[in-house]
Amino acid sequence: MTCMFGGAGGIGGGAAGGAAAIQALPAVINATITVLLFVYFVASGLKVANGIGEGQEVTQMVQQPVGVFFIILVLWIAQSILFNGVTAAC
């Protein structure tokens, strides 16, 4: 990503502000995804807790968050394996 976004001229004729914004984009996207996933899991946990408190069957409510968690875990492991040791050698 560093190589892709940190080119010699930048984007738009080498404007320093634009290049800095583009270079920060991957970190901003990762932070946004992290926050959204955190909110999703907290909301799912509260929904399950409310269901347990009301005496409902919660197996259906638990399946989706657990599935999402394991999919994210597998994708993170695959990303770590695929991009292990990759450096910005342009």
Side-chain angles (χ1 to χ4, degrees), residues 3-88:
C3 183
M4 182 187 302
F5 293 111
I11 294 178
I22 294 297
Q23 287 177 342
L25 188 60
V28 170
I29 291 172
N30 286 337
T32 303
I33 291 171
T34 302
V35 168
L36 289 174
L37 286 172
F38 178 75
V39 169
Y40 170 75
F41 285 122
V42 168
S44 296
L46 291 175
K47 183 178 175 184
V48 169
N50 286 336
I52 291 172
E54 295 173 359
Q56 297 178 358
E57 180 64 34
V58 295
T59 54
Q60 294 295 326
M61 289 189 279
V62 172
Q63 286 177 352
Q64 184 179 3
V66 169
V68 169
F69 174 77
F70 282 114
I71 289 170
I72 292 169
L73 184 63
V74 167
L75 290 174
W76 181 78
I77 291 170
Q79 173 204 347
S80 297
I81 292 170
L82 287 174
F83 297 110
N84 186 24
V86 175
T87 59

